Amino acid sequence: MGFEFSVITESLPALLAGAKLTWIITILGIIGGMVCGILAGLGRIAGTEALGEEPHGIFKPISVAIRYISGCYVETIRGTPIIVQAMFLYFAFPMLVKAVTDIERFRIEALTAAVITIIFNAGAYIAEIVRGSVISVNKGLLEAGMSLGISRFQLIVHVIGPIAFRRMIPPLGNQFIISLKDTSLFIVIGVGELTRQGQEIMASNFRALEIWLTVAIMYLIMTTVLAMSLRKIERKMKIF
Amino acid sequence: MSSIIELKNICKSFGDTEVLHNIDLSIREGEVVVVIGPSGSGKSTLIRCINCLEMISSGELTVDGIRIPEERGRTRQIRLEVGMVFQQFNLFPHMTALENVAFGPCKARKMNKSKASDIARDLLKKVGLAEFENKLPGQLSGGQQQRVAIARALAVSPKVLLFDEPTSALDPEMIGEVLDVMKSIAKDSGMTMVVVTHEMGFAAQVGDRLIFMDDGRIVEEGKPGEVMKNPESERLKDFLGHVKHH
């Protein structure tokens, strides 16, 4: 059994369909993960000097609560394997819903579970990236802005945000690529993404070399596209 | 003239360390007050308390009629009237000189962009940097950056300007250009200024009052020329000796 190029051309449509699904899960996952990560990342430093002055009155306990909730989220996600998270959401969560409510036929689609898992998983890691970048911005800039009478919200949007964002790009590139590759784990909940498609074709024709080589190259192309888009954004931003 | 800044029995602690002890100080409108003292004496903390970058631990602060701590929610109002120039310039690194100066009027005074830019251009001209408006801070020298920072602080038209060792991070040959700008502000606009500095020449020339701080207390104050010529306390004599002979 030598290397058969025809095996690749024959399985290409199915693999491309899998790659498309992988891409969709990844893109939705990292967009949602960014929203989640920015909220949780800022949440973890809410009411600290990194975001301006310390709050007083009622805002003090509120900011403590926000920090605590964000911290619990990040630690829980980081502390459990993504494959367990996906299985929990797909298999265990519907049972939990059934146990505490009267809803009998609650079900989460495998694809939905996959996207949600990536959103929450990537979100936790992105939260730490956001937190680290924001903390790294010179506190003097915030002080300078505040001493002009500018609101903290405006300063976060126009000063801290752009400077922190540029510093986030390299670690974000890491996380996006990791998330893309993590989609291959959704083979366990039966999502027809690229790895699953490869596995199914391989099971019927036993051409491991051709199939896994093609699958690997497809992943490589997708991660390269992600990495290059981020590099492009990085170059477009002013150097400072 | 009425006082625009009033400190009554102000204390400030960081954790267990008290860095300001029972400070009483009243600053009139248009007055130029120069604060000197050894490092760690609380000079910077004192002026940072005035615009609420540090919240006082006890005592009462009144700035332009706003009372702290009672009206703690109005610190932004205070900061609109009290600008600050920092030792490390703290210019926004991703904005050009013009954008740095126009940012304040635009966001804090809700001015439209073109009007804010006009004001910024005027101020950059005033500090002698008209031709640098499109440069990023990283492309400017320290002295130029500090002059942009002064223009930025002036742009929101505050009633008071605080200077926190504005020349301490500069190369010697750039100190003059920054002091010149500060002198012209004091003379031309009659701005109330509180300046923490080690520049004794500036203090003598421009200052209406000299305050010597040590260990979180105001040890001596008076007309700059007289205080420098006839220091009463040993500590000030000692300090002046060090400043002159280094």
Side-chain angles (χ1 to χ4, degrees):
Chain A
M1 231 159 66
F3 190 91
E4 283 282 347
F5 202 76
S6 64
V7 173
I8 296 177
T9 47
E10 275 163 26
S11 54
L12 209 53
L15 291 178
L16 281 174
K20 191 177 158 196
L21 207 52
T22 291
W23 193 245
I24 289 170
I25 299 170
T26 306
I27 296 302
L28 291 177
I30 58 185
I31 291 171
M34 279 298 285
V35 176
C36 230
I38 290 170
L39 289 176
L42 293 178
R44 285 201 89 178
I45 45 176
T48 67
E49 282 193 337
L51 293 180
E53 58 218 319
E54 283 168 27
H56 54 96
I58 182 72
F59 296 108
K60 205 165 183 172
I62 291 177
S63 69
V64 172
I66 292 174
R67 283 207 298 276
Y68 185 76
I69 293 167
S70 314
C72 283
Y73 159 65
V74 170
E75 297 307 345
T76 307
I77 297 291
R78 282 200 310 187
T80 52
I82 184 168
I83 198 160
V84 174
Q85 293 159 11
M87 301 242 246
F88 184 89
L89 191 64
Y90 187 60
F91 296 115
F93 187 65
M95 296 176 90
L96 187 69
V97 171
K98 210 191 280 180
V100 297
T101 67
D102 292 335
I103 306 166
E104 272 295 317
R105 288 166 163 263
F106 184 82
R107 235 186 121 243
I108 300 178
E109 290 290 321
L111 182 61
T112 314
V115 172
I116 294 175
T117 305
I118 292 288
I119 288 176
F120 280 109
N121 188 277
Y125 291 96
I126 292 171
E128 288 295 88
I129 295 172
V130 170
R131 184 170 74 97
S133 309
V134 170
I135 288 175
S136 80
V137 176
N138 175 6
K139 210 176 127 245
L141 301 180
L142 208 52
E143 288 186 347
M146 290 196 300
S147 76
L148 292 167
I150 299 168
S151 74
R152 269 195 298 168
F153 178 76
Q154 298 255 34
L155 288 170
I156 290 169
V157 172
H158 297 287
V159 178
I160 306 296
I163 295 170
F165 183 69
R166 193 174 189 283
R167 294 180 189 175
M168 282 178 217
I169 293 174
L172 278 181
N174 263 344
Q175 184 52 47
F176 290 176
I177 286 169
I178 290 170
S179 287
L180 188 144
K181 292 190 298 185
D182 277 349
T183 61
S184 69
L185 297 167
F186 297 136
I187 194 169
V188 298
I189 56 170
V191 178
E193 42 69 51
L194 181 52
T195 303
R196 170 101 186 182
Q197 296 289 7
Q199 173 70 30
E200 277 177 4
I201 298 165
M202 216 268 306
S204 62
N205 65 10
F206 301 104
R207 307 297 301 211
L209 174 63
E210 291 87 346
I211 298 302
W212 292 122
L213 184 69
T214 314
V215 167
I217 290 170
M218 284 182 165
Y219 273 114
L220 204 52
I221 291 169
M222 287 191 282
T223 53
T224 309
V225 169
L226 269 186
M228 278 172 42
S229 341
L230 276 164
R231 283 289 291 278
K232 210 168 175 183
I233 296 175
E234 196 175 350
R235 270 200 301 269
K236 260 194 181 167
M237 299 189 70
K238 288 176 192 166
I239 312 254
F240 45 82
Chain B
M1 258 192 283
S2 62
S3 64
I4 186 160
I5 298 170
E6 187 88 53
L7 290 85
K8 273 190 203 148
N9 209 13
I10 298 276
C11 296
K12 170 68 188 172
S13 316
F14 293 108
D16 291 336
T17 346
E18 191 170 90
V19 288
L20 293 179
H21 314 285
N22 311 88
I23 301 275
D24 285 302
L25 179 65
S26 167
I27 296 168
R28 285 174 286 112
E29 226 172 318
E31 196 178 11
V32 178
V33 177
V34 178
V35 185
I36 58 168
S39 73
S41 58
K43 318 177 290 282
S44 289
T45 307
L46 176 74
I47 66 167
R48 287 167 62 85
C49 281
I50 293 175
N51 72 350
C52 302
L53 281 182
E54 306 291 353
M55 192 43 69
I56 54 174
S57 304
S58 66
E60 198 182 284
L61 169 73
T62 312
V63 181
D64 197 29
I66 300 171
R67 283 144 43 105
I68 299 290
E70 287 90 337
E71 299 178 84
R72 216 184 145 158
R74 294 180 70 193
T75 49
R76 248 183 84 194
Q77 204 65 37
I78 290 185
R79 291 184 186 137
L80 267 174
E81 304 305 337
V82 182
M84 185 151 184
V85 175
F86 300 84
Q87 184 176 356
Q88 299 296 342
F89 329 134
N90 293 344
L91 291 178
F92 307 125
H94 57 307
M95 298 184 192
T96 64
L98 187 79
E99 288 166 340
N100 260 285
V101 183
F103 188 62
C106 213
K107 300 297 173 195
R109 296 276 189 203
K110 311 279 175 244
M111 222 175 259
N112 68 44
K113 254 200 170 133
S114 73
K115 202 172 164 207
S117 297
D118 287 345
I119 291 177
R121 240 172 237 118
D122 268 0
L123 284 166
L124 283 176
K125 204 168 138 196
K126 215 177 202 172
V127 298
L129 293 170
E131 66 273 38
F132 293 94
E133 63 170 57
N134 291 320
K135 294 265 194 257
L136 289 169
Q139 298 167 311
L140 299 172
S141 75
Q144 290 167 336
Q145 287 189 55
Q146 193 61 300
R147 285 188 280 154
V148 174
I150 294 173
R152 178 178 67 174
L154 286 170
V156 287
S157 30
K159 293 181 180 155
V160 181
L161 265 190
L162 308 172
F163 293 82
D164 189 3
E165 303 205 27
T167 56
S168 299
L170 297 175
D171 288 336
E173 71 265 29
M174 292 171 184
I175 292 174
E177 61 189 69
V178 171
L179 291 179
D180 286 343
V181 168
M182 290 167 62
K183 280 176 205 166
S184 79
I185 295 169
K187 281 192 185 126
D188 304 345
S189 61
M191 174 81 71
T192 310
M193 289 164 64
V194 185
V195 187
V196 172
T197 186
H198 294 296
E199 297 297 328
M200 302 311 288
F202 175 85
Q205 251 183 298
V206 190
D208 296 314
R209 184 158 35 136
L210 184 70
I211 290 179
F212 172 64
M213 284 185 72
D214 191 22
D215 197 24
R217 291 184 179 81
I218 294 177
V219 177
E220 231 173 286
E221 60 180 309
K223 287 246 170 249
E226 291 164 22
V227 173
M228 279 191 259
K229 220 180 275 169
N230 305 308
E232 284 171 17
S233 65
E234 280 305 314
R235 283 186 282 182
L236 179 53
K237 277 178 202 163
D238 199 44
F239 177 77
L240 289 175
H242 282 300
V243 174
K244 274 174 197 155
H245 301 300
H246 69 139

